[in-house]
Amino acid sequence: MTAAQRVLLRPITMGLLVQSLFLLLFFLLGSCLHPAAAFPKGCYSSEEEGLKTFRCSNAQLTEVPRDIPNDTKKLYLDFNQIPFLPHDAFRDLPLLLELDLSHNAIARVESGAFQGLAEHLHSLDLSSNRLVSVSKDTFSNLKAKVNLSNNPWLCDCRLQELIRAVELAADSSGGIVCDSSTQEEHVGKAFLQVMADTDFCNVYKKTTDIAMLVTMFGWFAMVISYLVYYVRQNQEDARRHLEYLKSLPSKQRQSEESSTISTVV
């Protein structure tokens, strides 16, 4: 190859080398940035106190985000507009230790929403939401300390069963207040204070038993009334028939009386 040819090929070689380096750099940057690009706007992953943390605080979320790294140990979804928690909402987060769902619009929690978190989760914050009533089975086998304060709770047997089934976070019990109640005098009071004097489930059982007794008495009274009416109606028919027989000639009356006696017998 002549010197002239080498001079001509040198720019081409340099151009190909630069292009290759650019493509390699683009590929590396793309592979690094791809996971972050999958996160919702306002969400990011970090390390806090040596623990893998995923924050989506005040990110205007309306549902639990997908593609949360499954090695996340602290998850913050507070100050959003999440309205409910579906079944298996956190099933891909087996190492989760802390879950903050406070200050959302959560009004419904489906059974099994926390399934898969029982082994490691030790802190669950559901404060400042719109919870009115939740089944105790929703927190089945969950060992985490739960914050249920500042929700518009209906104070009844269901809430009593829930409170007895979970371990409440420290200093959160006073924030569980009756927004409504099966007994009007409890509205506005702390539920644990009310529970000290009232067994909601026992009251419910008594009410149910009384309702059953009233229903049974009603049916019994209807049956007795019908029997009394039936007997009186037959007596009245028999009296009228006897009066009719008395008005007949003697021979015909004897024949009718014999027929009536045999019918009665």
Side-chain angles (χ1 to χ4, degrees):
M1 181 180 296
T2 65
Q5 289 177 327
R6 284 196 296 270
V7 171
L8 290 174
L9 288 174
R10 188 176 299 169
I12 297 175
T13 304
M14 290 297 294
L16 291 174
L17 180 60
V18 171
Q19 185 177 9
S20 300
L21 290 173
F22 178 77
L23 290 173
L24 179 61
L25 181 62
F26 180 78
F27 173 78
L28 291 174
L29 287 174
S31 62
C32 293
L33 293 175
H34 176 71
F39 298 159
K41 183 179 179 181
C43 299
Y44 63 92
S45 184
S46 65
E47 290 278 338
E48 295 184 12
E49 300 178 350
L51 298 175
K52 185 67 173 291
T53 303
F54 191 77
R55 283 190 175 273
C56 280
S57 302
N58 200 18
Q60 299 183 346
L61 298 178
T62 56
E63 63 180 2
V64 176
R66 303 173 184 176
D67 301 323
I68 298 173
N70 57 17
D71 59 346
T72 297
K73 293 188 176 180
K74 298 172 71 174
L75 177 58
Y76 294 88
L77 301 175
D78 51 318
F79 290 95
N80 286 290
Q81 294 94 43
I82 299 173
F84 80 101
L85 300 178
H87 180 78
D88 286 337
F90 307 98
R91 64 178 179 181
D92 296 325
L93 302 172
L95 303 179
L96 199 62
L97 299 175
E98 297 182 17
L99 176 57
D100 189 346
L101 292 160
S102 63
H103 298 90
N104 273 279
I106 300 172
R108 180 166 59 93
V109 182
E110 292 186 355
S111 178
F114 304 112
Q115 187 171 335
L117 300 180
E119 185 174 352
H120 293 95
L121 192 69
H122 64 71
S123 176
L124 173 60
D125 194 343
L126 285 166
S127 63
S128 301
N129 277 283
R130 299 177 185 175
L131 296 172
V132 175
S133 183
V134 179
S135 169
K136 64 176 182 177
D137 296 334
T138 303
F139 301 91
S140 179
N141 300 320
L142 205 62
K143 299 175 183 178
K145 294 182 179 179
V146 185
N147 188 341
L148 298 172
S149 61
N150 299 321
N151 281 280
W153 290 109
L154 166 63
C155 291
D156 61 358
C157 178
R158 201 178 194 201
L159 180 58
Q160 178 173 301
E161 290 179 337
L162 171 62
I163 296 300
R164 289 177 174 175
V166 301
E167 182 180 357
L168 296 177
D171 302 322
S172 69
S173 60
I176 303 175
V177 177
C178 301
D179 187 72
S180 58
S181 176
T182 52
Q183 300 181 40
E184 190 66 27
E185 65 269 21
H186 297 148
V187 174
K189 296 181 180 179
F191 185 63
L192 264 66
Q193 177 185 348
V194 172
M195 276 180 59
D197 301 319
T198 305
D199 187 341
F200 284 85
C201 295
N202 191 42
V203 169
Y204 174 77
K205 185 177 183 299
K206 287 181 178 179
T207 303
T208 303
D209 291 343
I210 291 172
M212 289 181 64
L213 286 173
V214 170
T215 302
M216 292 175 64
F217 179 79
W219 279 105
F220 183 74
M222 288 177 62
V223 171
I224 295 299
S225 298
Y226 176 76
L227 289 175
V228 169
Y229 170 79
Y230 180 77
V231 170
R232 287 182 177 177
Q233 188 67 31
N234 283 350
Q235 288 177 342
E236 183 67 19
D237 290 344
R239 184 184 63 78
R240 289 176 181 175
H241 190 65
L242 287 174
E243 290 179 355
Y244 167 73
L245 291 178
K246 289 178 182 179
S247 65
L248 295 176
S250 59
K251 290 185 179 181
Q252 185 176 359
R253 183 171 62 215
Q254 290 175 358
S255 175
E256 291 285 347
E257 287 177 349
S258 298
S259 177
T260 300
I261 293 171
S262 63
T263 300
V264 172
V265 173

